[in-house]
Amino acid sequence: MEYTKNQIKYNWKKDIEDFTYKLQYPFGENNKSYLAKSLSAIPEESSDKKNSLTSYSEATNYNAPIGQEYDDYQYSYEEGYFKAFKLIIAGSSNDSESFLMPALFLARHYIELSLKDEITNVSIATGSKFSIGNKESHCLTELSNSFKKLLEENDLNILQEKFFDIIESIDKLSPKSDEFRYTTDVSGKYNLPIDFTDDKESPNVINLIVLGQYLNYIYLHLYSLYFILEDNEESLLADTVFENPYVKGLLYGVVHSNISKTLNNSSEDQITSKIKNCISSVISNNNLKIDSSDIKVDKFDDGYQVLLNGSKLFMIFKNDESWILKTRPLIG
């Protein structure tokens, strides 16, 4: 069928009007509630798009604050991706093929965030080593293996093999993390087959109910550990310097800095000042509410001790050509 440009523009404008009913999803057409009307509407032509986006809504529960009011971001990121995943699964029955894309991406991203966070929390609690400048993997299997090793080294592991098998099975579905985010990879090859195939190496279907059960199992175990370590007034990190999210942010920033190369090229009498400069940069670049003048770096035994207002934060020391950060153990 041939179209003129004017016909395309005419039909386009007409379809915009005709397809407004699709905006009612997930509400039925007879739902006349304020929320249904609001979420089925489009911005009015006269409204200020930018200011409207950041203005308060009459539906107060839909005003999402930016910032955590001193709390750690860990809860919002993990809980947000998990709950979004659950909502997608619950609404997927009428279009499971398209709901699969965000569902698997959110499942995978939730697991990645949670494993990285709990590796950090357990390492702080046990005084385990952080390799400074080490690039974190996106591979869920590698992360879960690191998590398992950390727990076992500190005699803390209660996880069954099912936990790690589930993570590995999800990792195999999306080993590069992008397969369900983008149509093609960087070389232009389709991430998923266009047509259904009988390839024995690839699944023909993903059961979203089972995927939901899998993530429930992972969530139950990781949130329970998070609750013990950080998310309540009697948690392990409560009443310690690491209860302060800015301190955790400082630790995280130093661990992911490129200071190792700088320290390797510095003389021994320069290292203390180089560490202090790195810490000051992390504080400044991340707008951490810590006064750099309250940070002190001292030579201590075979390493360098970092203190905040006299409280011990962590030690930094050299291991071969790499540098290590280590906190004081909080558990016996």
Side-chain angles (χ1 to χ4, degrees):
M1 182 176 182
E2 293 185 2
Y3 277 101
T4 66
K5 292 179 181 179
N6 285 335
Q7 284 175 319
I8 290 176
K9 291 194 290 185
Y10 172 80
N11 286 349
W12 190 0
K13 291 178 180 178
K14 183 176 181 301
D15 287 346
I16 289 173
E17 297 177 3
D18 291 345
F19 289 137
T20 55
Y21 75 92
K22 293 178 71 68
L23 303 181
Q24 292 177 318
Y25 183 87
F27 302 100
E29 60 181 338
N30 294 323
N31 190 325
K32 305 300 181 183
S33 68
Y34 172 81
L35 182 60
K37 290 179 181 179
S38 297
L39 294 183
S40 302
I42 59 176
E44 297 178 9
E45 293 297 329
S46 60
S47 66
D48 185 329
K49 311 298 188 300
K50 183 177 179 181
N51 288 336
S52 178
L53 179 62
T54 56
S55 64
Y56 282 88
S57 164
E58 293 180 33
T60 55
N61 287 342
Y62 290 83
N63 294 318
I66 302 172
Q68 299 296 288
E69 296 182 357
Y70 193 78
D71 291 332
D72 196 318
Y73 271 106
Q74 181 175 342
Y75 174 85
S76 292
Y77 275 92
E78 293 179 16
E79 201 75 5
Y81 281 106
F82 176 73
K83 287 178 177 175
F85 166 83
K86 295 282 283 188
L87 288 173
I88 286 174
I89 297 296
S92 65
S93 62
N94 62 352
D95 191 4
S96 60
E97 187 176 353
S98 61
F99 274 69
L100 170 63
M101 309 305 171
L104 197 52
F105 168 70
L106 292 175
R108 197 190 185 292
H109 198 57
Y110 163 75
I111 293 172
E112 181 180 345
L113 285 177
S114 298
L115 285 174
K116 288 178 176 178
D117 285 335
E118 291 319 310
I119 287 172
T120 298
N121 285 340
V122 172
S123 295
I124 291 173
T126 59
S128 298
K129 299 174 182 177
F130 293 89
S131 294
I132 296 177
N134 187 35
K135 300 298 181 184
E136 290 185 320
S137 173
H138 292 290
C139 175
L140 298 186
T141 303
E142 288 183 14
L143 285 170
S144 67
N145 287 340
S146 296
F147 185 48
K148 182 179 182 181
K149 180 181 178 183
L150 176 64
L151 292 173
E152 290 179 343
E153 287 176 345
N154 291 283
D155 195 25
L156 290 174
N157 194 14
I158 66 163
L159 298 172
Q160 304 298 315
E161 281 305 309
K162 180 195 292 188
F163 180 91
F164 304 101
D165 290 343
I166 285 174
I167 291 177
E168 184 178 4
S169 68
I170 293 175
D171 194 29
K172 285 181 178 178
L173 292 174
S174 181
K176 295 182 291 186
S177 81
D178 287 339
E179 291 85 348
F180 292 83
R181 281 204 293 173
Y182 302 111
T183 308
T184 63
D185 62 19
V186 292
S187 67
K189 180 183 177 182
Y190 281 106
N191 280 318
L192 301 175
I194 296 178
D195 199 3
F196 297 105
T197 68
D198 293 323
D199 183 358
K200 300 303 181 184
E201 298 298 319
S202 300
N204 293 321
V205 65
I206 293 174
N207 188 321
L208 294 181
I209 295 294
V210 173
L211 180 62
Q213 293 171 349
Y214 278 7
L215 212 67
N216 285 343
Y217 186 85
I218 300 300
Y219 174 85
L220 184 62
H221 287 75
L222 290 181
Y223 181 79
S224 297
L225 180 60
Y226 165 61
F227 185 80
I228 292 169
L229 295 179
E230 188 172 29
D231 192 37
N232 71 94
E233 293 179 354
E234 297 179 357
S235 66
L236 188 63
L237 297 184
D239 297 326
T240 74
V241 68
F242 293 104
E243 183 181 29
N244 183 335
Y246 305 117
V247 171
K248 283 190 70 178
L250 174 59
L251 180 150
Y252 201 78
V254 173
V255 166
H256 291 87
S257 72
N258 57 3
I259 193 176
S260 289
K261 185 176 180 181
T262 301
L263 296 180
N264 284 336
N265 294 328
S266 301
S267 61
E268 187 172 341
D269 60 350
Q270 294 176 317
I271 291 179
T272 299
S273 62
K274 296 292 184 182
I275 293 174
K276 180 70 184 290
N277 290 341
C278 172
I279 290 173
S280 297
S281 295
V282 170
I283 291 172
S284 175
N285 293 338
N286 292 281
N287 295 316
L288 301 177
K289 294 182 180 178
I290 298 174
D291 192 332
S292 293
S293 63
D294 293 331
I295 295 288
K296 187 177 181 182
V297 181
D298 290 330
K299 184 78 172 67
F300 186 84
D301 291 339
D302 295 330
Y304 299 83
Q305 184 170 258
V306 177
L307 303 98
L308 173 62
N309 289 323
S311 296
K312 298 176 182 178
L313 296 185
F314 44 76
M315 290 284 298
I316 294 177
F317 56 91
K318 192 172 185 179
N319 182 23
D320 295 327
E321 289 303 306
S322 62
W323 287 78
I324 301 297
L325 182 150
K326 189 176 182 296
T327 63
R328 179 173 55 85
L330 300 176
I331 55 178

